[in-house]
Amino acid sequence: MHPVTGSRASVPAMGRAPRLSADRVRTPPRMPAARPPIRSRADAETVALLHRTARVLIEEVPRLTDRIVALMKEREPAYRSAAVDPHEVWREVHDSLSHNVRSLVHPKETRESARSCAWRIGTDRAAQGFPLDALLHAYRIGCTVVWEHLLETASKEDPLGAQSLVHVAADVWNFVDEHCTLVATAYQEVERQLSWHRENRYRIIVAALLDGTARVSDFPEAEQVLGLPEQGRYAVVALEDADAPCRTPHSVEVGDGLRAVWHTAEGTAHAIVLLGDGDGDGRGDGDRDGGDSGSGAERLVRGLEVPPGARAGVSPAVTGLAAINTARRLADTALRTRPAAGTAALLEERYPEALVVSSPDLGTALADRMLGPVLALESADREMLLTTLAAWLEAGGSARRAGGLLFCHRNTVLNRLRRYEQLTGRSLDHPREVMELSLALSARRLLTP
């Protein structure tokens, strides 16, 4: 009465078919207890006729199985799939019919075995990814065939008495409803577990790529599960949101045509972004790592929509999943250069700042060496000199342009620069000391709490 579906799915190894088989369900769902049986309204004579008829059907289960399987293939496209093993379909329809037809004769003795059969069918088909609606449709097909055969068999024995079987129709369809509910419940429970497993596996793979624990043998599975080619060109985004540290970043846009895979841990979100190879097909090209890699990361920065209270760091482009961990560390370094709120810092544009934050002890020592006497001044005097030095460096060493930035005369800028030289014994005419001053100012800005 209760047909079932096709072949058992093979266990997928890394890099094989994405469907998860039943052995991935770590805790098989427990079948719920049977609900109290509904009292039949049929009289004893009608029940006796049903039992005699059902005993005839028990002997005809193989022929009924053939009939039901043929109708399933005819009426339900899922059963015509090449992935469905016809021998397995036949065997399971036969087993289900055997349990359920016997339950018409001995309902108390066979009820639990019939329910267990339906429950197993639901769990197995969910694990195989077989459509639930096709499975339930098959049950209805099977029930219709059995009911019609019951009426036909009873009519041969007692044409007038067969009409009384209408009084047990409700019993039969209540039985069908209970078993369809069991199948659907089992299916949904397994589907929920498999969904959790897929999401968890997704997170594990992304985390392994980012933290560098992924092995080369894991890359085919990563390519399949995440949709990221093993030799693609990638950048990593590190996103820190002080306003909403628990915000899920998956809605953050990274730009048209770019695929991003997000992972959040310890308050920082990371996105692995597939850049493409310049032709827009998303495949990597190891020969493009030179002049073309920067353009991909710059395109990412232009398209990245950083939330107003957040900051982001973007790594240079790298080639291959094996380099994702390196890109993540570079993105974290870019984030530590303290981009303005709502903006992203591209590491390639912040290498001096990145050097400072990568070695904070050295950065602090350099700031003390180049700025120590200035930092010892009174607050107003100290900030005036530091602001002037920063403006002069931003102006490319031009006192006139620095004066424009500070709204003062160029001679005022020159006087302040000379005062710095007198306080520190440094000369701003020496390129090396100008470079050290620039790094020292970055160190004070980035390393001062």
Side-chain angles (χ1 to χ4, degrees):
M1 185 184 302
H2 291 246
V4 295
T5 68
S7 62
R8 299 183 184 272
S10 60
V11 178
M14 279 190 175
R16 294 184 187 171
R19 286 182 178 172
L20 301 171
S21 60
D23 67 337
R24 295 290 188 101
V25 182
R26 297 184 179 182
T27 306
R30 181 175 297 178
M31 185 175 68
R35 62 194 182 192
I38 300 174
R39 186 175 180 83
S40 176
R41 296 183 178 180
D43 57 30
E45 186 176 344
T46 301
V47 172
L49 176 61
L50 175 65
H51 288 175
R52 291 196 302 274
T53 305
R55 288 189 182 93
V56 174
L57 263 61
I58 291 173
E59 302 301 322
E60 297 187 9
V61 163
R63 185 170 68 84
L64 286 175
T65 300
D66 292 338
R67 171 65 175 155
I68 292 170
V69 169
L71 287 173
M72 286 161 53
K73 292 180 180 179
E74 177 185 331
R75 299 178 183 178
E76 181 49 63
Y79 288 93
R80 298 195 293 270
S81 168
V84 175
D85 183 347
H87 300 291
E88 188 76 7
V89 172
W90 194 96
R91 183 186 64 78
E92 291 190 345
V93 171
H94 182 273
D95 290 348
S96 181
L97 281 172
S98 296
H99 279 93
N100 297 333
V101 173
R102 282 182 170 84
S103 69
L104 295 176
V105 182
H106 306 290
K108 292 182 180 180
E109 296 84 348
T110 60
R111 184 180 188 190
E112 282 306 306
S113 63
R115 294 178 76 250
S116 296
C117 180
W119 186 260
R120 187 191 72 249
I121 290 165
T123 58
D124 287 351
R125 298 317 137 238
Q128 291 180 355
F130 194 88
L132 177 59
D133 58 347
L135 178 56
L136 295 178
H137 185 199
Y139 262 73
R140 291 191 295 272
I141 291 172
C143 180
T144 300
V145 169
V146 171
W147 178 246
E148 290 174 349
H149 203 71
L150 278 171
L151 292 177
E152 180 183 341
T153 304
S155 296
K156 290 178 180 178
E157 177 186 335
D158 182 359
L160 294 177
Q163 298 177 12
S164 66
L165 286 182
V166 70
H167 298 296
V168 298
D171 301 338
V172 172
W173 290 102
N174 284 334
F175 179 94
V176 173
D177 178 67
E178 178 186 11
H179 282 242
C180 284
T181 299
L182 272 175
V183 168
T185 302
Y187 188 102
Q188 290 159 0
E189 283 294 309
V190 170
E191 192 174 50
R192 179 184 59 80
Q193 291 189 30
L194 293 179
S195 177
W196 179 89
H197 177 88
R198 285 189 291 267
E199 292 172 4
N200 191 53
R201 188 61 184 154
Y202 184 102
R203 289 191 295 269
I204 289 172
I205 293 172
V206 176
L209 291 173
L210 289 168
D211 65 23
T213 58
R215 299 165 297 182
V216 173
S217 59
D218 296 331
F219 292 161
E221 183 182 16
E223 179 169 352
Q224 181 183 66
V225 173
L226 306 179
L228 300 177
E230 183 174 347
Q231 292 303 317
R233 291 180 61 251
Y234 299 99
V236 171
V237 176
L239 181 71
E240 186 177 71
D241 195 340
D243 291 345
C246 297
R247 188 202 314 252
T248 301
H250 298 75
S251 60
V252 174
E253 292 292 336
V254 296
D256 293 338
L258 298 180
R259 170 168 168 72
V261 174
W262 286 94
H263 178 76
T264 303
E266 299 179 354
T268 301
H270 292 91
I272 303 172
V273 183
L274 179 61
L275 297 175
D277 63 0
D279 296 326
D281 64 0
R283 288 283 167 181
D285 186 339
D287 296 332
R288 294 181 180 270
D289 281 351
D292 202 39
S293 63
S295 62
E298 290 166 4
R299 176 189 172 199
L300 170 58
V301 171
R302 288 194 301 270
L304 187 63
E305 296 183 3
V306 182
R311 308 170 193 270
V314 179
S315 75
V318 298
T319 297
L321 296 178
I324 294 296
N325 172 247
T326 298
R328 192 269 302 166
R329 290 187 282 107
L330 295 176
D332 287 343
T333 300
L335 181 60
R336 295 204 304 274
T337 65
R338 292 189 189 177
T343 65
L346 179 60
L347 184 67
E348 292 172 308
E349 297 174 351
R350 296 195 176 215
Y351 282 136
E353 294 89 343
L355 290 172
V356 168
V357 298
S358 296
S359 184
D361 291 341
L362 290 178
T364 300
L366 180 60
D368 290 342
R369 178 172 179 264
M370 298 300 295
L371 299 172
V374 176
L375 298 178
L377 296 173
E378 293 293 331
S379 176
D381 208 12
R382 177 180 68 238
E383 293 306 318
M384 178 191 69
L385 276 183
L386 292 174
T387 301
T388 299
L389 290 168
W392 181 72
L393 289 170
E394 185 178 348
S398 168
R400 180 180 60 80
R401 290 199 297 273
L405 295 173
L406 298 170
F407 303 101
C408 65
H409 196 275
R410 64 182 294 275
N411 288 340
T412 302
V413 174
L414 291 173
N415 289 335
R416 294 173 183 174
L417 295 179
R418 280 194 293 271
R419 187 174 178 212
Y420 165 77
E421 292 177 325
Q422 292 166 357
L423 285 169
T424 62
R426 306 295 169 188
S427 172
L428 297 180
D429 291 329
H430 293 170
R432 179 184 178 86
E433 296 199 343
V434 173
M435 175 193 68
E436 290 179 348
L437 172 63
S438 176
L439 290 174
L441 289 170
S442 293
R444 182 179 180 276
R445 176 175 61 87
L446 296 171
L447 303 177
T448 299

